[in-house]
PDB file of all heavy atoms in Angstrom:
ATOM      1  N   ASN A  14      96.324  89.093  60.191  1.00 94.00           N
ATOM      2  CA  ASN A  14      97.414  88.946  59.180  1.00 94.00           C
ATOM      3  C   ASN A  14      98.237  90.210  59.088  1.00 94.00           C
ATOM      4  O   ASN A  14      99.440  90.109  58.948  1.00 94.00           O
ATOM      5  CB  ASN A  14      96.807  88.577  57.834  1.00 94.00           C
ATOM      6  CG  ASN A  14      96.271  87.138  57.841  1.00 94.00           C
ATOM      7  OD1 ASN A  14      96.657  86.333  58.674  1.00 94.00           O
ATOM      8  ND2 ASN A  14      95.382  86.820  56.882  1.00 94.00           N
ATOM      9  N   LYS A  15      97.548  91.322  59.025  1.00 95.00           N
ATOM     10  CA  LYS A  15      98.287  92.664  58.993  1.00 95.00           C
ATOM     11  C   LYS A  15      99.163  92.819  60.209  1.00 95.00           C
ATOM     12  O   LYS A  15     100.325  93.204  60.101  1.00 95.00           O
ATOM     13  CB  LYS A  15      97.273  93.807  58.849  1.00 95.00           C
ATOM     14  CG  LYS A  15      97.896  95.134  58.692  1.00 95.00           C
ATOM     15  CD  LYS A  15      96.850  96.235  58.570  1.00 95.00           C
ATOM     16  CE  LYS A  15      97.480  97.609  58.464  1.00 95.00           C
ATOM     17  NZ  LYS A  15      96.480  98.707  58.363  1.00 95.00           N
ATOM     18  N   ASN A  16      98.591  92.536  61.416  1.00 95.00           N
ATOM     19  CA  ASN A  16      99.428  92.651  62.602  1.00 95.00           C
ATOM     20  C   ASN A  16     100.549  91.687  62.629  1.00 95.00           C
ATOM     21  O   ASN A  16     101.633  91.973  63.190  1.00 95.00           O
ATOM     22  CB  ASN A  16      98.513  92.449  63.829  1.00 95.00           C
ATOM     23  CG  ASN A  16      97.524  93.524  64.076  1.00 95.00           C
ATOM     24  OD1 ASN A  16      97.629  94.618  63.526  1.00 95.00           O
ATOM     25  ND2 ASN A  16      96.527  93.309  64.879  1.00 95.00           N
ATOM     26  N   MET A  17     100.383  90.463  62.109  1.00 95.00           N
ATOM     27  CA  MET A  17     101.453  89.497  62.068  1.00 95.00           C
ATOM     28  C   MET A  17     102.630  89.992  61.229  1.00 95.00           C
ATOM     29  O   MET A  17     103.786  89.834  61.609  1.00 95.00           O
ATOM     30  CB  MET A  17     100.982  88.133  61.636  1.00 95.00           C
ATOM     31  CG  MET A  17     100.127  87.417  62.675  1.00 95.00           C
ATOM     32  SD  MET A  17     100.028  85.585  62.422  1.00 95.00           S
ATOM     33  CE  MET A  17      99.050  85.546  60.900  1.00 95.00           C
ATOM     34  N   GLU A  18     102.308  90.517  60.101  1.00 95.00           N
ATOM     35  CA  GLU A  18     103.365  91.076  59.228  1.00 95.00           C
ATOM     36  C   GLU A  18     104.123  92.218  59.945  1.00 95.00           C
ATOM     37  O   GLU A  18     105.388  92.281  59.850  1.00 95.00           O
ATOM     38  CB  GLU A  18     102.745  91.638  57.900  1.00 95.00           C
ATOM     39  CG  GLU A  18     102.258  90.495  57.030  1.00 95.00           C
ATOM     40  CD  GLU A  18     103.264  89.423  56.713  1.00 95.00           C
ATOM     41  OE1 GLU A  18     104.455  89.777  56.365  1.00 95.00           O
ATOM     42  OE2 GLU A  18     102.946  88.222  56.877  1.00 95.00           O
ATOM     43  N   ALA A  19     103.397  93.067  60.641  1.00 95.00           N
ATOM     44  CA  ALA A  19     104.049  94.132  61.404  1.00 95.00           C
ATOM     45  C   ALA A  19     104.931  93.562  62.524  1.00 95.00           C
ATOM     46  O   ALA A  19     106.005  94.022  62.777  1.00 95.00           O
ATOM     47  CB  ALA A  19     103.028  95.080  62.021  1.00 95.00           C
ATOM     48  N   ALA A  20     104.440  92.488  63.164  1.00 94.00           N
ATOM     49  CA  ALA A  20     105.238  91.864  64.241  1.00 94.00           C
ATOM     50  C   ALA A  20     106.415  91.243  63.721  1.00 94.00           C
ATOM     51  O   ALA A  20     107.544  91.280  64.364  1.00 94.00           O
ATOM     52  CB  ALA A  20     104.329  90.771  64.958  1.00 94.00           C
ATOM     53  N   LYS A  21     106.405  90.590  62.535  1.00 95.00           N
ATOM     54  CA  LYS A  21     107.549  90.013  61.899  1.00 95.00           C
ATOM     55  C   LYS A  21     108.669  91.022  61.664  1.00 95.00           C
ATOM     56  O   LYS A  21     109.815  90.783  61.842  1.00 95.00           O
ATOM     57  CB  LYS A  21     107.256  89.384  60.638  1.00 95.00           C
ATOM     58  CG  LYS A  21     106.417  88.076  60.728  1.00 95.00           C
ATOM     59  CD  LYS A  21     106.111  87.508  59.333  1.00 95.00           C
ATOM     60  CE  LYS A  21     105.255  86.272  59.410  1.00 95.00           C
ATOM     61  NZ  LYS A  21     104.877  85.771  58.066  1.00 95.00           N
ATOM     62  N   ALA A  22     108.234  92.244  61.289  1.00 93.00           N
ATOM     63  CA  ALA A  22     109.142  93.288  60.971  1.00 93.00           C
ATOM     64  C   ALA A  22     109.976  93.749  62.204  1.00 93.00           C
ATOM     65  O   ALA A  22     111.041  94.391  62.067  1.00 93.00           O
ATOM     66  CB  ALA A  22     108.466  94.466  60.329  1.00 93.00           C
ATOM     67  N   THR A  23     109.456  93.494  63.341  1.00 92.00           N
ATOM     68  CA  THR A  23     110.130  93.873  64.576  1.00 92.00           C
ATOM     69  C   THR A  23     111.264  92.936  65.037  1.00 92.00           C
ATOM     70  O   THR A  23     112.068  93.259  65.966  1.00 92.00           O
ATOM     71  CB  THR A  23     109.178  94.052  65.774  1.00 92.00           C
ATOM     72  OG1 THR A  23     108.691  92.694  66.142  1.00 92.00           O
ATOM     73  CG2 THR A  23     107.983  94.900  65.435  1.00 92.00           C
ATOM     74  N   ILE A  24     111.350  91.755  64.344  1.00 93.00           N
ATOM     75  CA  ILE A  24     112.306  90.744  64.753  1.00 93.00           C
ATOM     76  C   ILE A  24     113.540  90.763  63.856  1.00 93.00           C
ATOM     77  O   ILE A  24     113.440  90.629  62.626  1.00 93.00           O
ATOM     78  CB  ILE A  24     111.629  89.321  64.710  1.00 93.00           C
ATOM     79  CG1 ILE A  24     110.465  89.337  65.692  1.00 93.00           C
ATOM     80  CG2 ILE A  24     112.649  88.238  65.015  1.00 93.00           C
ATOM     81  CD1 ILE A  24     109.623  87.987  65.644  1.00 93.00           C
ATOM     82  N   LYS A  25     114.716  90.930  64.404  1.00 92.00           N
ATOM     83  CA  LYS A  25     115.908  90.982  63.691  1.00 92.00           C
ATOM     84  C   LYS A  25     116.341  89.570  63.260  1.00 92.00           C
ATOM     85  O   LYS A  25     116.442  88.659  64.129  1.00 92.00           O
ATOM     86  CB  LYS A  25     117.021  91.651  64.509  1.00 92.00           C
ATOM     87  CG  LYS A  25     118.322  91.924  63.756  1.00 92.00           C
ATOM     88  CD  LYS A  25     119.364  92.592  64.620  1.00 92.00           C
ATOM     89  CE  LYS A  25     120.682  92.777  63.844  1.00 92.00           C
ATOM     90  NZ  LYS A  25     121.704  93.429  64.671  1.00 92.00           N
ATOM     91  N   LEU A  26     116.678  89.403  61.994  1.00 92.00           N
ATOM     92  CA  LEU A  26     117.040  88.105  61.472  1.00 92.00           C
ATOM     93  C   LEU A  26     118.376  88.139  60.770  1.00 92.00           C
ATOM     94  O   LEU A  26     118.754  89.155  60.195  1.00 92.00           O
ATOM     95  CB  LEU A  26     115.956  87.568  60.485  1.00 92.00           C
ATOM     96  CG  LEU A  26     114.542  87.377  61.032  1.00 92.00           C
ATOM     97  CD1 LEU A  26     113.575  87.110  59.914  1.00 92.00           C
ATOM     98  CD2 LEU A  26     114.525  86.291  62.038  1.00 92.00           C
ATOM     99  N   GLU A  27     119.080  86.942  60.777  1.00 90.00           N
ATOM    100  CA  GLU A  27     120.245  86.805  59.954  1.00 90.00           C
ATOM    101  C   GLU A  27     119.683  86.504  58.482  1.00 90.00           C
ATOM    102  O   GLU A  27     118.562  86.084  58.321  1.00 90.00           O
ATOM    103  CB  GLU A  27     121.097  85.655  60.462  1.00 90.00           C
ATOM    104  CG  GLU A  27     121.625  85.839  61.843  1.00 90.00           C
ATOM    105  CD  GLU A  27     122.611  87.011  61.981  1.00 90.00           C
ATOM    106  OE1 GLU A  27     123.161  87.379  60.828  1.00 90.00           O
ATOM    107  OE2 GLU A  27     122.855  87.565  63.097  1.00 90.00           O
ATOM    108  N   PRO A  28     120.577  86.683  57.465  1.00 88.00           N
ATOM    109  CA  PRO A  28     120.141  86.435  56.083  1.00 88.00           C
ATOM    110  C   PRO A  28     119.630  84.984  55.902  1.00 88.00           C
ATOM    111  O   PRO A  28     118.850  84.778  54.985  1.00 88.00           O
ATOM    112  CB  PRO A  28     121.447  86.679  55.273  1.00 88.00           C
ATOM    113  CG  PRO A  28     122.280  87.589  56.210  1.00 88.00           C
ATOM    114  CD  PRO A  28     121.966  87.208  57.588  1.00 88.00           C
ATOM    115  N   TYR A  29     120.059  84.036  56.650  1.00 89.00           N
ATOM    116  CA  TYR A  29     119.693  82.635  56.471  1.00 89.00           C
ATOM    117  C   TYR A  29     118.561  82.234  57.407  1.00 89.00           C
ATOM    118  O   TYR A  29     118.275  81.077  57.485  1.00 89.00           O
ATOM    119  CB  TYR A  29     120.909  81.722  56.638  1.00 89.00           C
ATOM    120  CG  TYR A  29     121.711  82.031  57.918  1.00 89.00           C
ATOM    121  CD1 TYR A  29     121.277  81.515  59.169  1.00 89.00           C
ATOM    122  CD2 TYR A  29     122.786  82.874  57.878  1.00 89.00           C
ATOM    123  CE1 TYR A  29     121.977  81.788  60.289  1.00 89.00           C
ATOM    124  CE2 TYR A  29     123.503  83.121  59.081  1.00 89.00           C
ATOM    125  CZ  TYR A  29     123.078  82.608  60.303  1.00 89.00           C
ATOM    126  OH  TYR A  29     123.733  82.896  61.443  1.00 89.00           O
ATOM    127  N   GLN A  30     117.934  83.225  58.033  1.00 93.00           N
ATOM    128  CA  GLN A  30     116.826  82.877  58.976  1.00 93.00           C
ATOM    129  C   GLN A  30     115.479  83.445  58.431  1.00 93.00           C
ATOM    130  O   GLN A  30     115.448  84.295  57.583  1.00 93.00           O
ATOM    131  CB  GLN A  30     117.092  83.493  60.305  1.00 93.00           C
ATOM    132  CG  GLN A  30     118.229  82.869  61.084  1.00 93.00           C
ATOM    133  CD  GLN A  30     118.488  83.562  62.428  1.00 93.00           C
ATOM    134  OE1 GLN A  30     118.253  84.780  62.576  1.00 93.00           O
ATOM    135  NE2 GLN A  30     118.863  82.784  63.372  1.00 93.00           N
ATOM    136  N   LYS A  31     114.436  82.874  58.933  1.00 95.00           N
ATOM    137  CA  LYS A  31     113.082  83.415  58.663  1.00 95.00           C
ATOM    138  C   LYS A  31     112.268  83.301  59.893  1.00 95.00           C
ATOM    139  O   LYS A  31     112.608  82.559  60.882  1.00 95.00           O
ATOM    140  CB  LYS A  31     112.423  82.551  57.540  1.00 95.00           C
ATOM    141  CG  LYS A  31     112.093  81.096  57.902  1.00 95.00           C
ATOM    142  CD  LYS A  31     111.479  80.406  56.742  1.00 95.00           C
ATOM    143  CE  LYS A  31     111.201  78.914  57.112  1.00 95.00           C
ATOM    144  NZ  LYS A  31     110.638  78.170  56.015  1.00 95.00           N
ATOM    145  N   VAL A  32     111.143  83.998  59.921  1.00 96.00           N
ATOM    146  CA  VAL A  32     110.244  83.992  61.134  1.00 96.00           C
ATOM    147  C   VAL A  32     108.886  83.607  60.678  1.00 96.00           C
ATOM    148  O   VAL A  32     108.326  84.071  59.650  1.00 96.00           O
ATOM    149  CB  VAL A  32     110.184  85.374  61.835  1.00 96.00           C
ATOM    150  CG1 VAL A  32     109.772  86.477  60.913  1.00 96.00           C
ATOM    151  CG2 VAL A  32     109.316  85.258  63.068  1.00 96.00           C
ATOM    152  N   VAL A  33     108.237  82.645  61.365  1.00 95.00           N
ATOM    153  CA  VAL A  33     106.877  82.240  61.138  1.00 95.00           C
ATOM    154  C   VAL A  33     106.091  82.455  62.374  1.00 95.00           C
ATOM    155  O   VAL A  33     106.554  82.118  63.527  1.00 95.00           O
ATOM    156  CB  VAL A  33     106.897  80.700  60.709  1.00 95.00           C
ATOM    157  CG1 VAL A  33     105.458  80.258  60.652  1.00 95.00           C
ATOM    158  CG2 VAL A  33     107.608  80.515  59.456  1.00 95.00           C
ATOM    159  N   ILE A  34     104.911  83.075  62.286  1.00 95.00           N
ATOM    160  CA  ILE A  34     104.035  83.242  63.420  1.00 95.00           C
ATOM    161  C   ILE A  34     102.862  82.334  63.335  1.00 95.00           C
ATOM    162  O   ILE A  34     102.164  82.266  62.355  1.00 95.00           O
ATOM    163  CB  ILE A  34     103.557  84.793  63.493  1.00 95.00           C
ATOM    164  CG1 ILE A  34     104.748  85.668  63.695  1.00 95.00           C
ATOM    165  CG2 ILE A  34     102.558  84.960  64.624  1.00 95.00           C
ATOM    166  CD1 ILE A  34     104.429  87.129  63.734  1.00 95.00           C
ATOM    167  N   LYS A  35     102.623  81.632  64.483  1.00 93.00           N
ATOM    168  CA  LYS A  35     101.493  80.664  64.469  1.00 93.00           C
ATOM    169  C   LYS A  35     100.618  80.862  65.687  1.00 93.00           C
ATOM    170  O   LYS A  35     101.109  81.375  66.745  1.00 93.00           O
ATOM    171  CB  LYS A  35     102.031  79.271  64.544  1.00 93.00           C
ATOM    172  CG  LYS A  35     102.708  78.752  63.190  1.00 93.00           C
ATOM    173  CD  LYS A  35     101.672  78.594  62.143  1.00 93.00           C
ATOM    174  CE  LYS A  35     102.234  78.091  60.830  1.00 93.00           C
ATOM    175  NZ  LYS A  35     101.270  77.887  59.789  1.00 93.00           N
ATOM    176  N   SER A  36      99.386  80.547  65.601  1.00 91.00           N
ATOM    177  CA  SER A  36      98.460  80.717  66.734  1.00 91.00           C
ATOM    178  C   SER A  36      98.481  79.387  67.553  1.00 91.00           C
ATOM    179  O   SER A  36      98.688  78.314  67.020  1.00 91.00           O
ATOM    180  CB  SER A  36      97.020  80.953  66.249  1.00 91.00           C
ATOM    181  OG  SER A  36      96.489  79.805  65.541  1.00 91.00           O
ATOM    182  N   MET A  37      98.284  79.544  68.844  1.00 87.00           N
ATOM    183  CA  MET A  37      98.154  78.378  69.758  1.00 87.00           C
ATOM    184  C   MET A  37      96.885  78.627  70.562  1.00 87.00           C
ATOM    185  O   MET A  37      96.321  79.710  70.649  1.00 87.00           O
ATOM    186  CB  MET A  37      99.343  78.370  70.696  1.00 87.00           C
ATOM    187  CG  MET A  37     100.701  78.165  69.974  1.00 87.00           C
ATOM    188  SD  MET A  37     100.933  76.525  69.255  1.00 87.00           S
ATOM    189  CE  MET A  37     102.217  76.855  68.077  1.00 87.00           C
TER     190      MET A  37
END
């Protein structure tokens, strides 16, 4: 969970976007 939050922070987003990380 900690790594996923750090990974999210590396992705540039527009104000109307979000990022979700899921396992496969």
Side-chain angles (χ1 to χ4, degrees):
N14 287 340
K15 183 179 178 181
N16 289 347
M17 285 200 295
E18 290 306 311
K21 287 179 185 179
T23 67
I24 298 172
K25 185 179 179 181
L26 299 172
E27 299 293 341
Y29 48 85
Q30 293 179 324
K31 65 181 178 182
V32 58
V33 174
I34 295 178
K35 290 290 184 181
S36 67
M37 301 288 163

